[in-house]
Amino acid sequence: MTAPIATSQTILVVGGGISGMTAALEAAECGRDVVLVERSPTLGGRTALLYRYFPKMCHPTCGLEINLRRLKANRRVRVLTMTEVAGITGRRGDYQATLKIRPRYVNETCTACGDCSAAVSAEIPNPYNYGLDKIKAAHLPHVMAYPQRYLLDPSIIGTADADQAKAACKVGAIDLEMQEETVQLAVGAVLWATGWRPYDAAKIQPYGYGRFPNVITSVEFERLADPSGPTGGKLLRPSDGKEAKNIAFIQCAGSRDENHLRHCSRICCMATLKQTQYVREALGDTAQSTVYYIDIRSIDRLEDFYQMVQRDATVKFVKSKVARIAQADNGDPILHGVDTEGYHRYATAHDLVVLAIGMEPESNAIALPQDVITDSSGFIEGSPDGGMCGAGSASSPLDVNRSVQSATGAALRAIKVIYQTASEEA
């Protein structure tokens, strides 16, 4: 166990997505020391997995690149990737945090040359593309990865592949003897920016996700549309690799449902509207997008984006909660339901179905301190004394813009805790 690397004047930010990065930077640029921990090998979170943002349809590099530049320039932020919080004890202004750091098997001398990747043959499902393709077991997570360091998957440690990776590295960056580390922190405030995870679509049994290959989720579709994704930006059906031209989007897949997620995830409608434009972009006037919806929820300036999509002749809206999906002999998903505006039944075939799955707080899958309060869906409200609070989509279903706003507010609350603690000690 190593010596402490922080003090009660330090802020701990848990989660390195857009919210965690924002909270860490805002606090650091106000003169506070910050430790930013992320359990994956790179910062960026779900935002790094997007193809484009709405409503301007710009690439995530627009926001992430700026934050990464700020991080590199700020010595008050210490970044620990592949790190999880094992426990937090104490009280407001005086917390003890225990962190577990998993081995990367690649040290800081890595130049990201890629020689180790070229030397190994083993492949693993690519988490960056939600497992839609495979990646070498020695790899850089993605082009924008920060830190720009390769890692070795634990599955090859002790194999010939690991030895070949080590032999191929010209700078001696491969360290096959790395072990898990435990680090103790003394911190004054904790911000939980643990983000969200896509709801498990397989639980929505009538829709056949996992049984019908041409039923995919909105996050998977996002990667398909990206030129750096598993299909090079082509909208191909998983079943046969044919181009999908007639695509159905099902809203509230798992959201606003007492059997699944009770809450409205807020981003799903806008994500689908954005993705209909991916279809038009890929296929032009031959595109066919059909949106099956309960109601479309767009807020503030995003209403203009909705109206723009409504005017798109390639997009059709059907007011209906799809009852079930069947599969034709040729692999086409067939949607069954009732159009509530015309009150007639339909059984409509499509090339591909995209489920606009909801946001589930990642905090549901981690062990939070006992005094952290969550709402009925698991979103983090904070501790009663204010020493810990949620930030970004860990606190509520939020889009990127509002996640950044939430994180800024959380950083200010943490700074206030540190300031009050210092005043009390004085």
Side-chain angles (χ1 to χ4, degrees):
M1 187 174 291
T2 64
I5 59 173
T7 71
S8 61
Q9 297 298 299
T10 300
I11 297 170
L12 173 63
V13 179
V14 186
I18 191 71
S19 300
M21 293 169 68
T22 299
L25 285 165
E26 296 294 342
E29 289 172 359
C30 286
R32 297 300 174 184
D33 292 328
V34 179
V35 176
L36 173 61
V37 303
E38 166 57 40
R39 69 180 180 184
S40 74
T42 179
L43 302 184
R46 301 282 173 194
T47 300
L49 306 184
L50 295 176
Y51 172 33
R52 293 184 179 177
Y53 293 103
F54 54 74
K56 294 183 178 180
M57 302 293 277
C58 54
H59 193 273
T61 51
C62 297
L64 289 179
E65 185 179 11
I66 295 171
N67 277 351
L68 291 175
R69 190 181 304 123
R70 291 166 68 194
L71 272 177
K72 293 172 185 176
N74 199 312
R75 295 186 178 182
R76 286 192 174 274
V77 182
R78 176 167 183 174
V79 176
L80 299 175
T81 55
M82 302 186 72
T83 303
E84 297 187 61
V85 176
I88 293 181
T89 58
R91 57 183 176 81
R92 179 179 183 270
D94 184 21
Y95 291 112
Q96 294 294 321
T98 302
L99 308 181
K100 298 286 187 181
I101 305 176
R102 302 191 312 279
R104 181 185 287 263
Y105 303 109
V106 179
N107 62 37
E108 290 83 355
T109 61
C110 176
T111 61
C113 68
D115 287 348
C116 60
S117 182
V120 305
S121 57
E123 294 183 326
I124 60 171
N126 186 352
Y128 181 64
N129 287 330
Y130 293 99
L132 293 173
D133 62 351
K134 291 189 174 183
I135 194 170
K136 288 288 189 72
H139 62 276
L140 188 69
H142 53 83
V143 176
M144 284 191 63
Y146 179 83
Q148 277 277 306
R149 286 165 58 194
Y150 275 63
L151 71 147
L152 270 60
D153 190 79
S155 63
I156 66 168
I157 301 303
T159 70
D161 266 328
D163 294 334
Q164 290 165 5
K166 181 177 177 66
C169 183
K170 299 181 180 65
V171 295
I174 306 294
D175 182 358
L176 302 179
E177 304 303 318
M178 278 187 177
Q179 301 292 322
E180 183 181 86
E181 296 180 57
T182 300
V183 173
Q184 292 282 2
L185 297 182
V187 298
V190 182
L191 299 183
W192 294 93
T194 45
W196 64 281
R197 58 177 174 168
Y199 184 68
D200 183 2
K203 293 180 179 179
I204 316 170
Q205 294 183 357
Y207 289 169
Y209 178 81
R211 292 183 288 118
F212 304 149
N214 295 323
V215 176
I216 65 174
T217 66
S218 50
V219 292
E220 291 170 340
F221 187 80
E222 192 77 16
R223 299 307 311 139
L224 287 182
D226 193 331
S228 65
T231 59
K234 295 181 180 179
L235 307 180
L236 305 182
R237 294 180 6 144
S239 68
D240 52 22
K242 292 181 179 178
E243 189 172 50
K245 297 181 179 180
N246 180 4
I247 301 176
F249 295 88
I250 298 180
Q251 299 311 107
C252 298
S255 295
R256 300 170 65 190
D257 188 329
E258 291 292 338
N259 296 314
H260 300 287
L261 300 176
R262 299 177 60 191
H263 57 270
C264 169
S265 294
R266 297 185 72 179
I267 67 164
C268 310
C269 289
M270 288 304 302
T272 288
L273 296 178
K274 173 189 69 173
Q275 289 177 347
T276 65
Q277 300 309 288
Y278 296 167
V279 182
R280 167 176 267 287
E281 209 174 68
L283 302 171
D285 292 337
T286 64
Q288 297 179 61
S289 295
T290 305
V291 180
Y292 294 84
Y293 71 102
I294 301 174
D295 44 50
I296 299 294
R297 294 186 170 184
S298 58
I299 54 178
D300 300 339
R301 70 185 188 283
L302 303 181
E303 180 69 20
D304 294 336
F305 190 87
Y306 174 34
Q307 292 176 3
M308 181 270 290
V309 175
Q310 282 183 307
R311 294 191 294 269
D312 188 338
T314 70
V315 183
K316 177 183 177 182
F317 290 85
V318 177
K319 188 171 178 60
S320 172
K321 183 174 177 64
V322 175
R324 66 184 179 90
I325 298 175
Q327 181 173 264
D329 292 340
N330 64 355
D332 285 355
I334 303 175
L335 275 57
H336 293 264
V338 176
D339 185 336
T340 57
E341 290 185 323
Y343 291 97
H344 64 269
R345 295 183 181 276
Y346 58 81
T348 308
H350 295 272
D351 297 336
L352 185 70
V353 172
V354 181
L355 304 179
I357 50 174
M359 302 175 74
E360 182 176 8
E362 192 63 58
S363 57
N364 283 347
I366 61 178
L368 295 171
Q370 291 185 349
D371 56 340
V372 171
I373 300 170
T374 61
D375 67 15
S376 59
S377 294
F379 291 102
I380 297 172
E381 295 179 357
S383 59
D385 63 5
M388 295 187 279
C389 69
S393 57
S395 64
S396 177
L398 299 172
D399 61 15
V400 173
N401 181 52
R402 285 170 177 75
S403 290
V404 169
Q405 294 174 355
S406 168
T408 300
L412 293 175
R413 288 193 291 274
I415 290 171
K416 181 179 178 181
V417 169
I418 297 298
Y419 176 78
Q420 291 177 335
T421 301
S423 299
E424 291 166 2
E425 291 176 351

